[in-house]
Amino acid sequence: MATKTINVDILAKMFLAGAQNIEAKKDYINELNVFPVPDGDTGTNMSMTIMSAAKEVTALNKPAMKDLAKAISSGSLRGARGNSGVILSQLLRGFTKAIKEEKEIDVLALAAACQRARDTAYKAVMKPAEGTILTVLKDSAAAAKHARKKKFGCDEALEYVVEEAFASVQRTPELLPVLKENNVVDAGGFGLAIFFDAFVSALTGKSGKLGDELAFARGLEPKVEIEQINDWEGSAFRYCTEFLVHSDTVDVDEAKDFLPTMGDCDLMVGMHPNFKVHVHTNRPDQVLGWFLTHDAQISEVHIHNMQLQSAARN
């Protein structure tokens, strides 16, 4: 019998299964990390992001849907690391914002939540690149919409989403030349697909889609070692800088205009009073100083020297 709706207890179980799969497979994801920048490891960043949310979900006791939504959204925002983690936090934010008032999720609500996840994640990125996690998310949302039109049950719809997510991952090298050159798929997109895989398996009780993850993720003749950051000399910025901002008054548009003047890969996500800021810069002191002089409190400051990270891996 098809599963028509998903209640809060089942959704929590599904989310935790997906989070644990990213945690367990983070090294697989790291091995694929070739795009776009030497910003830590994609798998590690995604794992730190989603496990922060998983910690908050685990602490809940008999939650309502809005409690679960808040734990996933706020936990992933606080734990977000790197570009991939920030994007992951935003797709989770969009998904949970769409379902927080639901008592149970049907296929209509599921499709709407997937679309909201897509829109929120794309909005977070100044220059979205296709062939990345964003593409996999977009294709997955389209699959959920198609499943709604076909009047599938939630289990059937989600299985269809998983199939499309993996198909989308396999197409990423055709959209992003650096992936094709290295004979791999996109790391962030792959991470999202294996999250979906475990997320859905927790609902259906069926075993996950993948046997050998790297056999799927790499081509038939993969390079033995992928040198993610050999092009460091061409990168203008050294420090991956990320932190939380707490402010009721900070001008978001002004902040978003300021960040690109300090570096690249800049993201500012969230809403008053809580934001996450990420930027690659040579002057993290000036970035932090700008927010401090605009009546903002900062916390959870993480500054990584990407040049030293590069040297450590080589």
Side-chain angles (χ1 to χ4, degrees):
M1 178 179 288
T3 302
K4 296 295 185 182
T5 61
I6 300 170
N7 64 30
V8 63
D9 294 331
I10 295 173
L11 185 62
K13 177 183 176 183
M14 293 166 67
F15 175 77
L16 291 174
Q20 289 293 340
N21 208 30
I22 289 182
E23 167 66 13
K25 309 291 174 49
K26 62 186 177 185
D27 290 337
Y28 285 107
I29 304 169
N30 284 341
E31 289 193 38
L32 304 172
N33 187 33
V34 298
F35 177 83
V37 286
D39 182 14
D41 289 310
T42 298
T44 300
N45 288 337
M46 294 182 77
S47 175
M48 291 178 72
T49 301
I50 204 161
M51 292 309 291
S52 175
K55 182 178 180 180
E56 295 203 17
V57 170
T58 302
L60 295 173
N61 182 29
K62 297 182 179 180
M65 191 70 78
K66 65 179 180 180
D67 301 320
L68 177 61
K70 182 179 179 181
I72 294 172
S73 181
S74 62
S76 60
L77 180 66
R78 276 194 287 272
R81 294 289 185 273
N83 278 58
S84 55
V86 173
I87 293 170
L88 178 60
S89 76
Q90 291 310 287
L91 74 87
L92 291 171
R93 176 189 170 202
F95 186 93
T96 55
K97 194 169 185 178
I99 57 94
K100 66 180 182 179
E101 300 299 332
E102 303 286 345
K103 290 186 177 180
E104 294 195 350
I105 301 169
D106 59 13
V107 71
L108 186 66
L110 177 67
C114 289
Q115 184 62 37
R116 186 72 170 267
R118 174 212 178 278
D119 293 345
T120 306
Y122 267 87
K123 187 177 180 181
V125 181
M126 292 292 291
K127 297 179 180 178
E130 296 301 333
T132 66
I133 185 174
L134 293 173
T135 302
V136 177
L137 178 59
K138 178 179 68 176
D139 292 344
S140 300
K145 182 178 180 180
H146 180 74
R148 182 202 70 197
K149 290 181 178 178
K150 291 291 186 179
K151 298 183 179 180
F152 290 169
C154 280
D155 51 354
E156 298 169 310
L158 285 168
E159 287 178 335
Y160 186 64
V161 167
V162 170
E163 292 292 331
E164 180 53 32
F166 281 112
S168 180
V169 169
Q170 288 286 55
R171 294 192 292 267
T172 58
E174 302 305 317
L175 300 173
L176 205 55
V178 68
L179 301 176
K180 197 166 189 176
E181 290 167 11
N182 286 282
N183 206 22
V184 294
V185 298
D186 178 69
F190 178 67
L192 182 60
I194 66 172
F195 169 79
F196 284 155
D197 195 24
F199 182 82
V200 176
S201 294
L203 174 67
T204 63
K206 299 177 182 178
S207 59
K209 177 181 176 66
L210 297 181
D212 183 347
E213 283 80 3
L214 284 183
F216 172 88
R218 293 176 179 271
L220 294 177
E221 298 178 359
K223 295 187 176 181
V224 176
E225 293 184 5
I226 299 171
E227 299 178 355
Q228 298 101 314
I229 45 186
N230 270 1
D231 61 346
W232 169 259
E233 292 180 359
S235 180
F237 304 104
R238 179 172 299 186
Y239 300 104
C240 173
T241 303
E242 48 193 347
F243 52 94
L244 295 177
V245 171
H246 183 86
S247 174
D248 290 310
T249 59
V250 68
D251 188 318
V252 177
D253 291 334
E254 186 179 356
K256 287 184 175 181
D257 287 340
F258 163 73
L259 287 170
T261 70
M262 297 304 302
D264 63 12
C265 296
D266 51 290
L267 296 169
M268 182 174 176
V269 298
M271 62 181 65
H272 290 103
N274 297 310
F275 301 91
K276 182 82 176 191
V277 173
H278 173 280
V279 63
H280 294 170
T281 180
N282 288 328
R283 295 301 304 268
D285 57 325
Q286 292 184 6
V287 175
L288 294 168
W290 188 93
F291 284 91
L292 289 172
T293 57
H294 284 73
D295 298 321
Q297 296 184 55
I298 61 175
S299 61
E300 298 291 328
V301 178
H302 299 272
I303 301 173
H304 306 284
N305 186 317
M306 296 183 292
Q307 188 176 39
L308 294 181
Q309 285 182 338
S310 172
R313 290 176 187 164
N314 293 331

